[in-house]
Amino acid sequence: MNTVSLRSPPISETLHRHRTMARTRAKHSSSPSRHWLLKTEPSNWSWSDQAANSNLTKWDGVKNKQAQSHMKSMHLNDLCFFYHSGPKSRRVVGVVRVVKEWYEEAGEGVVDVEAVGEMRRPVELGEMKGDEGLKGFVLFRQPRLSVVPVEEGIWRRVCELGGGYDGDGRDDGDGDDEAAEG
């Protein structure tokens, strides 16, 4: 006779399972990963908070229907810019990876993400707006959305402006000038 346990596994076990599922899907998926930008007020949730939380968090609290639709479109291993919003700190500060796709918890939608790495140099909003290679970035057209898609060329350009990010495969200092692929 099989019994069902209602006890949740420890977070380390859950994280390991999510990472294993993400690796498996990446190996067998024919669709390329997509890129996103996730906004947060540093006073509510900062890059430092992300790092202090074992690099894993539930991305929740998104109320806008269009932003929720973007979250529902996220897949395992999609990369996201971690963007600090607010009047004093509008900039891309890091990169996170989707480790659990959209699910509902306590009546709201959630996507789990883990930190991949900090930008080698934060990329300020003003710098992005002044860059010809970033014309048409959804962030500029829909500045109030907390979750926006990022096209491949824009992803590469923002990574280039920030010198890449820790964990992008360019950490070894081998002089490779290729843009971060993600």
Side-chain angles (χ1 to χ4, degrees):
M1 177 170 143
N2 291 339
T3 59
V4 177
S5 171
L6 299 177
R7 206 176 121 253
S8 297
I11 188 72
S12 60
E13 187 178 308
T14 302
L15 178 59
H16 175 73
R17 187 176 74 246
H18 290 308
R19 285 180 176 161
T20 302
M21 289 178 355
R23 283 189 207 107
T24 302
R25 180 170 177 181
K27 287 179 185 176
H28 301 290
S29 175
S30 59
S31 63
S33 68
R34 290 176 290 179
H35 300 103
W36 308 91
L37 181 139
L38 303 174
K39 287 185 187 178
T40 180
E41 289 273 351
S43 59
N44 293 335
W45 189 257
S46 69
W47 182 257
S48 298
D49 294 327
Q50 182 77 21
N53 197 46
S54 301
N55 292 324
L56 181 69
T57 194
K58 295 176 180 187
W59 204 270
D60 58 9
V62 176
K63 305 295 184 220
N64 179 283
K65 295 297 181 194
Q66 188 175 6
Q68 288 177 355
S69 177
H70 292 320
M71 287 175 61
K72 289 177 182 177
S73 298
M74 292 178 172
H75 295 295
L76 291 176
N77 288 323
D78 282 357
L79 296 176
C80 313
F81 285 130
F82 192 104
Y83 181 89
H84 279 174
S85 59
K88 296 182 181 180
S89 59
R90 295 178 183 154
R91 60 182 158 249
V92 173
V93 296
V95 173
V96 295
R97 177 185 325 275
V98 174
V99 294
K100 186 173 181 184
E101 295 175 5
W102 173 272
Y103 62 99
E104 293 203 12
E105 183 174 276
E108 69 178 332
V110 181
V111 172
D112 290 354
V113 297
E114 71 175 338
V116 174
E118 190 170 3
M119 296 300 289
R120 291 192 177 90
R121 184 181 67 77
V123 184
E124 304 286 336
L125 177 62
E127 180 181 4
M128 289 188 281
K129 283 185 171 181
D131 189 280
E132 278 298 315
L134 298 178
K135 297 294 183 214
F137 191 180
V138 176
L139 175 65
F140 309 151
R141 291 193 319 262
Q142 296 180 300
R144 309 246 339 136
L145 280 182
S146 61
V147 179
V148 296
V150 178
E151 295 174 12
E152 181 67 27
I154 289 175
W155 178 269
R156 288 179 180 270
R157 182 63 185 144
V158 171
C159 285
E160 184 179 304
L161 290 171
Y165 55 92
D166 296 335
D168 63 6
R170 298 181 346 149
D171 306 89
D172 56 12
D174 65 0
D176 185 357
D177 293 330
E178 211 173 299
E181 288 185 35

